[in-house]
Amino acid sequence: DIVMTQSPASLAVSLGERATINCKSSQSVLYNSYNKLAWYQQKPGQPPKLLIYWAATRESGVPDRFSGSGSGTDFTLTISSLQAEDVAVYYCQQSYSVPCTFGQGTRLEIK
Amino acid sequence: EVQVVESGGGLVQPGGSLKLSCAVSGFTFSDSAVHWVRQVSGKGLEWVGRIRTKASSYATAYAASVTGRFTISRDDSKNTAYLQMNSLKIEDTAVYYCTRLSPGVAFDYWGQGALVTVSS
């Protein structure tokens, strides 16, 4: 199984500042030039919401302050200017192989 | 508008069975692989299993923790997927989400989840 490891486990950032979350996979998730890596945002009492797929493609309707980068085994989710509504838990997930695995989550709070 | 609605959750005793349904609308269900993901209260997301499309022979795959106990099926004529859960354990207590694997190979549409509680 591919193990997804996120860091940090929790993060506190001031409003308007940059937030960076890292995700490392135990093996490459690159397939035919596409990284099968997605990022999700989950707020309390809600299902996860897809933010980024193919490691760097923003889902329709997602604000452009959210961006994804990385390839192979190392990935990053960046929120360029933190807004109050961005408080949530963020997960990375690979769909390169089953079982599709998620990172353990990163809790993002306002400092 | 896309809708994904899970139903069938509830309280069941250890060793019992429960069948969840996932009814969808707003996209071509028969062209989409369906996955189930669960979440224990206050914890992270755990992939449960998936069923592919007819073109992929309705192939299924499961997490090791549920293999042999859970079965995923689908009825494309009803735009509905199912999760049959047998020999339930206390540790299966969770919210179960149904989701679609998009062409972008990510889970784009999610239901609100069905709560399954396994307790005596």
Side-chain angles (χ1 to χ4, degrees), chain A residues 10-71:
Chain A
S10 63
L11 181 61
V13 175
S14 301
L15 289 173
E17 296 300 304
R18 178 185 300 261
T20 302
I21 299 170
N22 300 300
C23 175
K24 187 175 184 66
S25 58
S26 61
Q27 65 185 75
S28 176
V29 296
L30 180 63
Y31 181 80
N32 286 353
S33 300
Y34 289 96
N35 287 284
K36 293 189 172 182
L37 186 286
W39 289 96
Y40 302 86
Q41 174 194 66
Q42 188 178 32
K43 298 180 179 180
Q46 296 184 18
K49 173 187 176 182
L50 176 64
L51 298 175
I52 303 285
Y53 59 94
W54 287 335
T57 301
R58 201 178 302 113
E59 175 73 341
S60 175
V62 173
D64 60 7
R65 63 180 181 274
F66 291 91
S67 64
S69 63
S71 184

Side-chain angles (χ1 to χ4, degrees), chain B:
Chain B
E1 179 191 7
V2 171
Q3 287 196 321
V4 179
V5 180
E6 300 96 341
S7 60
L11 175 64
V12 60
Q13 291 188 335
S17 297
L18 207 60
K19 186 174 185 177
L20 303 183
S21 298
C22 171
V24 312
S25 61
F27 64 89
T28 306
F29 178 76
S30 59
D31 289 344
S32 302
V34 174
H35 292 239
W36 289 88
V37 174
R38 68 184 181 183
Q39 186 171 36
V40 174
S41 180
K43 303 298 184 182
L45 300 167
E46 179 188 16
W47 181 82
V48 172
R50 62 94 165 124
I51 185 166
R52 283 179 162 168
T53 63
K54 182 179 180 180
S56 296
S57 303
Y58 299 122
T60 56
Y62 301 92
S65 57
V66 306
T67 295
R69 300 188 299 122
F70 289 13
T71 302
I72 299 173
S73 60
R74 64 190 295 162
D75 185 338
D76 290 345
S77 68
K78 295 182 178 180
N79 283 359
T80 301
Y82 305 96
L83 177 63
Q84 176 68 49
M85 302 181 290
N86 299 331
S87 303
L88 281 161
K89 305 175 181 180
I90 291 175
E91 53 264 39
D92 293 320
T93 295
V95 173
Y96 285 74
Y97 294 104
C98 171
T99 182
R100 176 187 91 140
L101 189 71
S102 73
V105 207
F107 301 137
D108 57 351
Y109 302 135
W110 296 72
Q112 287 299 312
L115 176 62
V116 173
T117 303
V118 185
S119 175
S120 55

